[in-house]
Amino acid sequence: IFHILTGPNNSSAVWAAQRVPDEDMAVVANSFVIRTLNLDDSDHFMASANVESFARDMGWWDPATGPFDFAAAYSWAKPGPTKPLYGGRRIWRIYDVFAPSKHLDATLGQHPQVKTYPFSVTPDEKVTPKRLMDIMRDHYEGTPYDMTKDAASGPFGSPVRFGGSNKGVDGGWERSISMHRTTHSFVLQARGHLPDDVGGVAWYSLGAPHGSVYTPFSCAQHSVPSSYLVSRRHKFDTAGAWWAFQFVNNWSNLRYDLMHKHIQTVLDQIQDEAIALEAATIVEVANMTDTLARVDFIERRNNEFAQKMVDRWWSLAFTLVGKFNDGYVIDGDRSGDMHVPGYPAWWLQSTNYAAWPAKDAYNPPQEALQSNAMATSLTFTIVSAFSYFAIFAVGLVVGVLYLKHRTRSREYHRLV
């Protein structure tokens, strides 16, 4: 882990580094996690020469209070729960997913002056790239902090929480791991037992991870598909790979509960294909001794897959537009292929739907009420008459069948 910030007079730098044990994993969530430094152990700790003196000169650390703590000296503290939970909840979530045996407390938050979570933990099971991709897509699903289940998720369970002015209202949202405003994310994989161009892989994802695929690129590649280079945030463009994922993620917010299931199915399929492709590539290049030829092969293979994946995501986008629009779910052109899922009952109860119309919002004239009453009475009379007729008809049929049965029975006994 490497932390760095500006030095005296906004020049040079102050930095510290701590090695993560080979069997461990560590989480850095928008905050410093390095604390005490044992600079005599250069295999595990390193720092700039001014790491302590600058903090002392600025009044951020007093040697009389105890050993130097990098996070305590250089972190920004803010009163209230917002900042501690902004990073702390994510640290807890990732450690809890990979090392549930630690039984860490989700409610502690991360604080500059007090250590609440370990620098690193040993996972209960082996960590794979796929598991890291999955946690990058997380919104605390299945926990008390599930962002698809609270009132703010709306009737359709969207985990998206927009920023902006709070209009003077105190409060806050959970800070999920997957964020709607993410432009890109990646999982880096380094394997020393393989050649660099084979063992070094950047699993690269565009847009918010919960609606995107991590596709492999070799660290030795010289190019990527042109669609990865042309997107501009202010201009929608189907030639841009980023817009494919950005569009799908934004469209899914219209009906997240239904659309995300559809997206997840396609995502899982393509992600599995990407992982299988990378595994097959290792096997296929195992006997290639020409490095340039091997890099060229891997690059062409990865780029072809990446572009096909983008094309499939655009196809998914257009499928979603046709299938989910105007509150309908449309599966075809026949009359039975369109249905309206509507709103969940809990949401209807929480809105003015259940209390509609409001008091004094509906005051029909007396004549209309009398007319409605007469219409109701007439309807009841017609229904009652129909019911009596139906009962009579059924009774008549049963009686006829009974008489026929009795007649046949007598004739049978005479013959016997």
Side-chain angles (χ1 to χ4, degrees):
I1 302 297
F2 179 73
H3 295 329
I4 187 170
L5 63 157
T6 186
N9 301 314
N10 292 323
S11 63
S12 186
V14 178
W15 58 269
Q18 181 175 348
R19 184 185 297 277
V20 179
D22 290 345
E23 69 279 4
D24 276 17
M25 67 181 301
V27 180
V28 180
N30 298 100
S31 53
F32 294 145
V33 297
I34 296 175
R35 291 194 171 274
T36 56
L37 299 168
N38 181 8
L39 296 179
D40 292 331
D41 181 4
S42 59
D43 287 338
H44 295 89
F45 297 92
M46 297 179 68
S48 58
N50 62 349
V51 68
E52 293 185 4
S53 61
F54 182 52
R56 183 187 63 241
D57 294 344
M58 295 297 294
W60 298 334
W61 170 59
D62 181 356
T65 62
F68 176 74
D69 183 320
F70 184 92
Y74 291 112
S75 293
W76 170 54
K78 180 181 179 181
T82 302
K83 188 174 184 296
L85 290 177
Y86 189 84
R89 193 83 82 202
R90 284 177 286 161
I91 293 174
W92 162 79
R93 174 59 166 167
I94 295 172
Y95 283 163
D96 191 62
V97 166
F98 290 98
S101 62
K102 304 298 182 184
H103 301 291
L104 298 177
D105 189 339
T107 66
L108 296 178
Q110 186 187 26
H111 304 267
Q113 303 299 330
V114 180
K115 182 178 180 180
T116 51
Y117 296 111
F119 170 76
S120 65
V121 300
T122 303
D124 291 355
E125 299 176 2
K126 183 178 180 180
V127 176
T128 63
K130 176 63 164 58
R131 294 188 68 196
L132 291 176
M133 297 170 198
D134 289 341
I135 196 63
M136 295 285 273
R137 300 180 174 117
D138 190 76
H139 302 102
Y140 308 114
E141 284 88 349
T143 77
Y145 317 103
D146 191 335
M147 297 178 69
T148 68
K149 299 298 183 183
D150 61 13
S153 68
F156 307 132
S158 172
V160 172
R161 306 288 183 272
F162 297 130
S165 170
N166 63 5
K167 309 301 187 295
V169 179
D170 291 333
W173 306 118
E174 291 289 345
R175 203 296 195 181
S176 57
I177 297 173
S178 180
M179 287 289 285
H180 66 280
R181 62 174 182 262
T182 301
T183 57
H184 65 278
S185 60
F186 49 84
V187 173
L188 301 181
Q189 186 176 18
R191 292 160 291 188
H193 65 284
L194 295 171
D196 290 347
D197 51 283
V198 181
V201 176
W203 296 90
Y204 188 71
S205 166
L206 291 166
H210 63 265
S212 186
V213 176
Y214 288 88
T215 191
F217 291 107
S218 167
C219 65
Q221 284 192 215
H222 300 289
S223 69
V224 295
S226 60
S227 63
Y228 278 70
L229 305 174
V230 298
S231 295
R232 295 294 181 270
R233 196 178 189 104
H234 71 285
K235 184 178 181 181
F236 179 74
D237 185 0
T238 56
W242 181 76
W243 271 112
F245 299 96
Q246 187 74 351
F247 180 85
V248 166
N249 276 327
N250 275 269
W251 191 264
S252 71
N253 286 329
L254 295 175
R255 186 81 206 209
Y256 187 87
D257 58 337
L258 299 181
M259 269 193 267
H260 187 66
K261 293 177 182 178
H262 192 100
I263 294 167
Q264 190 68 51
T265 298
V266 179
L267 187 157
D268 288 341
Q269 178 183 350
I270 300 178
Q271 191 64 76
D272 288 345
E273 291 175 10
I275 293 172
L277 172 80
E278 200 275 332
T281 298
I282 295 176
V283 175
E284 294 184 33
V285 302
N287 296 321
M288 296 179 66
T289 57
D290 186 329
T291 301
L292 293 178
R294 187 173 62 225
V295 170
D296 181 67
F297 174 83
I298 295 173
E299 181 174 314
R300 285 187 288 106
R301 189 182 179 96
N302 286 346
N303 286 353
E304 179 182 354
F305 179 86
Q307 186 55 52
K308 286 183 177 179
M309 182 265 294
V310 172
D311 294 341
R312 290 167 71 180
W313 216 254
W314 276 120
S315 178
L316 170 63
F318 298 137
T319 297
L320 294 176
V321 171
K323 186 178 179 69
F324 301 95
N325 63 78
D326 288 338
Y328 296 104
V329 177
I330 307 168
D331 295 314
D333 297 325
R334 296 172 299 181
S335 60
D337 291 338
M338 177 187 291
H339 68 280
V340 187
Y343 296 98
W346 70 264
W347 189 82
L348 293 175
Q349 290 289 348
S350 67
T351 67
N352 62 336
Y353 178 89
W356 186 89
K359 184 179 180 181
D360 296 331
Y362 178 58
N363 295 297
Q366 191 64 29
E367 294 84 348
L369 293 177
Q370 293 173 350
S371 176
N372 289 341
M374 292 178 61
T376 301
S377 177
L378 178 60
T379 300
F380 177 77
T381 301
I382 294 173
V383 171
S384 298
F386 178 79
S387 299
Y388 292 142
F389 175 77
I391 294 172
F392 173 76
V394 171
L396 180 62
V397 171
V398 171
V400 170
L401 293 176
Y402 176 76
L403 290 175
K404 286 185 177 181
H405 173 74
R406 292 283 296 173
T407 301
R408 289 177 181 174
S409 177
R410 289 171 182 168
E411 291 177 353
Y412 172 78
H413 285 294
R414 279 202 303 268
L415 291 173
V416 173

